[in-house]
Amino acid sequence: MSTDPWGRVDDDGTVYVRTAEGERAVGSWQAGEPEEALAYFHRKYDELAGQVQLLEQRVRGTDLAPAQAESSIAKLREAVADAHAVGDLGALVARLDGLTELVGRRREEVKAARERARAEARTVKERIVAEAERIADETTHWKSGGERLRQLIEEWKAADRIDRVTEAQLWKRLSASRTAFAKRRKAYFAGLDEQREGVRATKERIVAEAEAIAGSTDWGATAAAYRDLMQQWKSAGRGSREVEDELWGRFKAAQDQFFQARSAVFAERDASLAANAEVKEQLLAEAEKILPVTDVRAARAALRGLLERWEAAGPVPRDQRDRLEGGLRKIDDAVRKAEDAEWKRSNPEARARAQSTVDQLRTSIEQLEKQLAKAQAAGRAKDVKETEEAITARRSWLAEAERTLAEFS
């Protein structure tokens, strides 16, 4: 009989392996020496040990899924239990037990990671749904709102799945938000179409009125009518671009026709009024010699004569009218101010009031001077100081009152 630490070959050629439970026959050897038999079954053991080692490397060195690892361990455990091999089978079992514990820990880690991922995914999807609901309820920027909803759908697809019930509930809310947004957008554009139709009708009426008066020669009234029509156009709102462009082109053409015709007539009229402007230029230069006013009556008489000649000169071109009229108006204002000042100086009531003020102040000063003399004689320093201050103030007032009175001289 040949023996080995992990097995033996009996006299009849039966090969046994030693385990913690005792010996177990693993095969029979009839073709050679017992040592050859043990060597053969040792190689069988080495092959099995190699498979265990390879699994260890896969479990420890890769992200092998726990379920797949457990399946491989179970197969190897079964192979070790029924192995036709000689070697330390208990050690292989122990190594497989260690792998089982490691895979169990890995399973818990994977489970925890999956739970964290699901929690994060739920947070992400709840955020997606909340934003979609806000867009559905509030957004009026339809293009950007629709684009953002499409982006949210892609974000939803990219996020990890969560538990089925919550996933279904959140998806239902997201789908409802998309539907609500689409309905609200459709209603808005339906209302917009109706509004634009109203704008089109209003502007067609404006254009028709503009075209009807394009040939008018009532320049003032028609220009005012066009200003009113332009204000109505601005207040009517905007229609579709195509309609808006077409109607505006017609409106502007009618308006240009009128104002070009008016400009041509005014230009011809202005040319005929150039001589009147030359006359008024001379009159304005003559009127400017009135200033400064030294004799109010003479200035008014001279200006009155100039005004009569001014009116007789007739209208002037529009581009010179404001300057000429404004220049004459300044001279008239200066003469008017001189007349007002003259009236104030010659007003007997005002002169009487000025004289009364001077008299009152002089009387007050005389009384205060008497009081001062008494206070000085009595040695009342406080009364002396207060009386002197009062006299000083009234003398200042008297000087101003006397200047005012002098203006009436």
Side-chain angles (χ1 to χ4, degrees):
M1 179 180 63
S2 177
T3 61
D4 183 270
W6 303 108
R8 66 184 180 85
V9 180
D10 206 348
D11 292 338
D12 59 1
T14 301
V15 182
Y16 294 90
V17 64
R18 293 190 178 94
T19 66
E21 291 79 18
E23 290 186 336
R24 175 170 62 83
V26 295
S28 176
W29 188 265
Q30 305 294 334
E33 296 298 325
E35 290 76 10
E36 294 176 359
L38 291 174
Y40 170 78
F41 285 99
H42 274 305
R43 287 195 297 272
K44 293 293 185 181
Y45 174 85
D46 291 340
E47 292 175 3
L48 199 58
Q51 294 180 38
V52 173
Q53 183 179 6
L54 180 60
L55 181 58
E56 288 174 332
Q57 292 173 351
R58 291 181 63 197
V59 171
R60 292 191 172 93
T62 67
D63 57 352
L64 185 64
Q68 187 177 353
E70 288 176 344
S71 176
S72 298
I73 291 172
K75 291 179 180 178
L76 276 178
R77 193 183 294 278
E78 184 178 347
V80 170
D82 298 333
H84 296 284
V86 174
D88 191 356
L89 296 177
L92 296 182
V93 171
R95 289 166 66 183
L96 291 174
D97 289 342
L99 282 180
T100 300
E101 293 178 3
L102 176 60
V103 171
R105 291 194 299 272
R106 179 78 57 80
R107 178 180 290 278
E108 292 301 319
E109 292 172 357
V110 169
K111 181 179 178 181
R114 187 180 295 113
E115 291 300 324
R116 288 194 300 272
R118 284 181 175 176
E120 293 173 0
R122 176 168 182 165
T123 300
V124 169
K125 291 189 173 182
E126 287 177 343
R127 187 264 305 165
I128 290 172
V129 170
E131 184 176 351
E133 290 175 336
R134 181 185 60 77
I135 292 173
D137 291 340
E138 302 174 6
T139 295
T140 55
H141 297 286
W142 307 111
K143 183 176 181 180
S144 60
E147 179 61 30
R148 182 54 184 155
L149 281 176
R150 286 189 290 272
Q151 292 174 356
L152 290 175
I153 294 298
E154 294 303 317
E155 292 179 21
W156 175 283
K157 293 177 180 178
D160 291 338
R161 293 186 64 83
I162 56 180
D163 64 276
R164 184 175 300 176
V165 174
T166 305
E167 181 98 2
Q169 291 173 347
L170 291 175
W171 175 255
K172 183 177 181 181
R173 289 170 56 190
L174 179 59
S175 180
S177 298
R178 295 171 66 192
T179 302
F181 176 81
K183 288 182 178 179
R184 199 159 60 88
R185 178 173 56 184
K186 182 178 180 181
Y188 169 80
F189 282 108
L192 187 61
D193 289 341
E194 182 178 351
Q195 177 186 349
R196 285 177 173 173
E197 181 60 25
V199 170
R200 184 193 61 78
T202 299
K203 290 192 172 181
E204 283 184 343
R205 187 262 306 165
I206 293 172
V207 170
E209 292 183 21
E211 290 174 337
I213 61 175
S216 172
T217 57
D218 187 358
W219 309 119
T222 306
Y226 272 113
R227 286 193 294 273
D228 180 62
L229 288 174
M230 176 60 76
Q231 189 59 43
Q232 292 181 44
W233 179 281
K234 293 178 179 178
S235 301
R238 290 190 63 83
S240 64
R241 177 172 297 180
E242 296 79 7
V243 172
E244 194 81 8
D245 291 345
E246 189 267 333
L247 291 176
W248 173 250
R250 290 171 54 192
F251 180 82
K252 190 173 185 304
Q255 185 176 242
D256 290 346
Q257 177 184 339
F258 168 78
F259 283 107
Q260 288 170 5
R262 188 186 70 162
S263 296
V265 171
F266 282 3
E268 182 179 353
R269 181 185 300 173
D270 288 347
S272 67
L273 299 179
N276 297 349
E278 292 180 4
V279 173
K280 288 193 174 182
E281 289 280 9
Q282 296 173 1
L283 291 174
L284 182 61
E286 187 178 341
E288 288 174 345
K289 296 178 181 179
I290 295 175
L291 304 180
V293 178
T294 56
D295 186 333
V296 173
R297 292 184 179 180
R300 173 53 66 186
L303 184 59
R304 187 179 298 112
L306 283 169
L307 288 172
E308 291 175 356
R309 292 157 60 193
W310 185 279
E311 293 298 326
V316 299
R318 289 178 302 159
D319 59 348
Q320 300 183 57
R321 183 171 53 207
D322 291 344
R323 179 180 61 81
L324 292 171
E325 295 290 344
L328 187 63
R329 192 178 303 110
K330 289 180 180 179
I331 296 171
D332 183 67
D333 290 343
V335 173
R336 195 181 305 279
K337 289 180 180 178
E339 288 175 333
D340 291 343
E342 177 67 19
W343 182 83
K344 289 179 180 178
R345 285 195 298 271
S346 61
N347 185 350
E349 293 181 0
R351 189 182 190 286
R353 287 195 297 272
Q355 183 65 58
S356 175
T357 300
V358 170
D359 294 343
Q360 290 177 6
L361 286 171
R362 287 173 178 172
T363 301
S364 176
I365 290 172
E366 289 175 1
Q367 293 174 351
L368 287 170
E369 286 175 342
K370 291 178 182 179
Q371 294 177 12
L372 177 62
K374 292 180 181 179
Q376 290 173 338
R380 299 194 300 273
K382 181 179 180 182
D383 292 344
V384 170
K385 181 180 179 182
E386 292 178 352
T387 305
E388 287 177 342
E389 292 176 351
I391 291 172
T392 299
R394 282 161 177 75
R395 283 175 178 169
S396 175
W397 300 343
L398 177 60
E400 181 65 27
E402 288 174 340
R403 283 194 294 272
T404 302
L405 179 61
E407 293 178 358
F408 290 97
S409 303

